[in-house]
């Protein structure tokens, strides 16, 4: 079955540690996105990528980094510079961008907590 | 910039009650509008969408009509079930849309038996 797989489902970070969240899709989608979800704040865009080897900052990119070396993979690294990383992280993809970007497919999320 | 405003939650209803979740938006041009649903511990799933004024999206008994004159896309269901308990997000995409959707803050719906 096609879809988006996020791993791990739960992740714990120690102070000063970088952690990487995995996102893989087998939908052959061009565009991929990372959102952060906090209670009462909805979804906020961290980074997005429209094509391999290219990505752009979203609204809250500080303290995060991404790569897009393969079409199907878009890992997110939460760096030690992110002082409040505890949140639910959602990865999404869509078939195209611009006028064709009408539906996002979401993974099941990763809950990141600080030890 | 684009924005979406939803009614604050949680919204608590009894089973078989009528549901309305309000959503209004601000956007450039003519956006496409969406409702997504999130069940506990999961990602979001598309519930319904409308791409132009006066379109009605519908799915699983839920409906929403794209009202350009009031910039609204309210979600309705005639008779809710316990299984409808979830968080509902209104969203839009406008212009080039290359940076994905703009989401509202979500409305937590609780249906009591």
């Amino acid at each position: 079955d096609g879809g988006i797989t996020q791993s791990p489902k739960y992740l714990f970070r120690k102070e000063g540690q970088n952690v990487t969240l995995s996102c893989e899709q087998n939908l052959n989608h061009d565009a991929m996105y990372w959102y952060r979800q906090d209670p009462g704040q909805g979804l906020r865009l961290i980074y997005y990528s429209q094509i391999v080897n290219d990505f752009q900052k979203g609204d809250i990119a500080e303290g995060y980094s991404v790569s897009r070396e393969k079409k199907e993979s878009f890992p997110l690294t939460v760096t030690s510079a992110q002082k409040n990383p505890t949140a639910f992280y959602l990865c999404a993809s869509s078939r195209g961008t611009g006028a064709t970007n009408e539906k996002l497919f979401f993974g099941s999320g990763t809950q990141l907590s600080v030890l | 910039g684009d924005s979406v405003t939803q009614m604050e939650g949680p919204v608590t209803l009894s089973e078989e009650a009528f549901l309305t979740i309000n959503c209004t938006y601000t956007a450039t041009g003519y956006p496409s509008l969406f409702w997504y649903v999130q069940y506990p511990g999961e990602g979001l799933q598309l519930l319904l969408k409308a791409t132009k004024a006066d379109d009605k999206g519908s799915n699983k008994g839920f409906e929403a009509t794209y009202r350009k004159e009031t910039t609204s896309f309210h979600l309705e269901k005639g008779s809710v079930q316990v299984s409808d308990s979830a968080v509902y997000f209104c969203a839009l995409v406008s212009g080039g849309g290359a940076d994905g959707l703009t989401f509202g803050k979500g409305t937590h719906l609780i249906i009591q038996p």
Side-chain angles (χ1 to χ4, degrees):
Chain A
D1 286 340
I4 300 180
T5 302
Q6 288 188 242
S7 62
K9 186 135 181 92
Y10 300 96
L11 185 59
F12 297 91
R13 194 191 89 165
K14 296 179 181 178
E15 290 289 335
Q17 185 182 39
N18 292 355
V19 292
T20 297
L21 285 61
S22 170
C23 177
E24 304 276 334
Q25 53 98 359
N26 60 3
L27 299 166
N28 200 32
H29 284 174
D30 289 314
M32 297 187 74
Y33 310 83
W34 274 106
Y35 288 91
R36 171 179 169 141
Q37 184 178 17
D38 295 278
Q41 295 207 40
L43 277 69
R44 293 182 289 170
L45 183 65
I46 305 173
Y47 269 97
Y48 63 100
S49 169
Q50 300 173 36
I51 196 169
V52 175
N53 292 322
D54 187 44
F55 49 82
Q56 285 78 40
K57 293 181 179 180
D59 300 320
I60 55 165
E62 185 174 352
Y64 300 96
S65 65
V66 293
S67 63
R68 187 84 186 276
E69 297 177 0
K70 299 185 296 182
K71 186 176 185 178
E72 58 270 23
S73 179
F74 191 42
L76 173 73
T77 297
V78 184
T79 74
S80 58
Q82 173 49 247
K83 299 306 180 188
N84 184 24
T86 297
F88 190 56
Y89 291 85
L90 286 163
C91 180
S93 71
S94 63
R95 186 175 299 120
T97 60
T100 62
N101 182 14
E102 289 201 339
K103 177 180 178 181
L104 294 183
F105 292 78
F106 283 84
S108 56
T110 293
Q111 176 63 51
L112 175 62
S113 303
V114 176
L115 290 176
Chain B
D2 297 345
S3 66
V4 176
T5 302
Q6 295 181 231
M7 59 191 296
E8 296 283 333
V11 173
T12 303
L13 296 172
S14 297
E15 206 166 20
E16 299 183 3
F18 184 86
L19 168 70
T20 300
I21 300 178
N22 290 338
C23 171
T24 57
Y25 66 88
T26 302
T28 54
Y30 301 96
S32 294
L33 303 173
F34 307 82
W35 278 100
Y36 279 81
V37 59
Q38 183 181 33
Y39 298 101
E42 298 183 8
L44 278 68
Q45 305 170 28
L46 179 66
L47 181 60
L48 53 85
K49 70 177 184 180
T51 58
K52 61 182 187 295
D54 299 324
D55 269 2
K56 178 185 284 187
S58 62
N59 185 27
K60 300 181 181 179
F62 291 90
E63 293 183 340
T65 300
Y66 189 143
R67 301 289 188 197
K68 183 171 177 288
E69 63 276 12
T70 55
T71 61
S72 65
F73 193 54
H74 305 321
L75 182 68
E76 297 181 335
K77 186 174 185 182
S79 177
V80 293
Q81 305 300 314
V82 172
S83 57
D84 294 327
S85 299
V87 180
Y88 292 82
F89 291 89
C90 186
L92 67 83
V93 62
S94 70
D99 56 351
L101 275 63
T102 298
F103 287 89
K105 292 186 177 182
T107 302
H108 187 193
L109 175 64
I110 301 169
I111 306 301
Q112 296 177 333

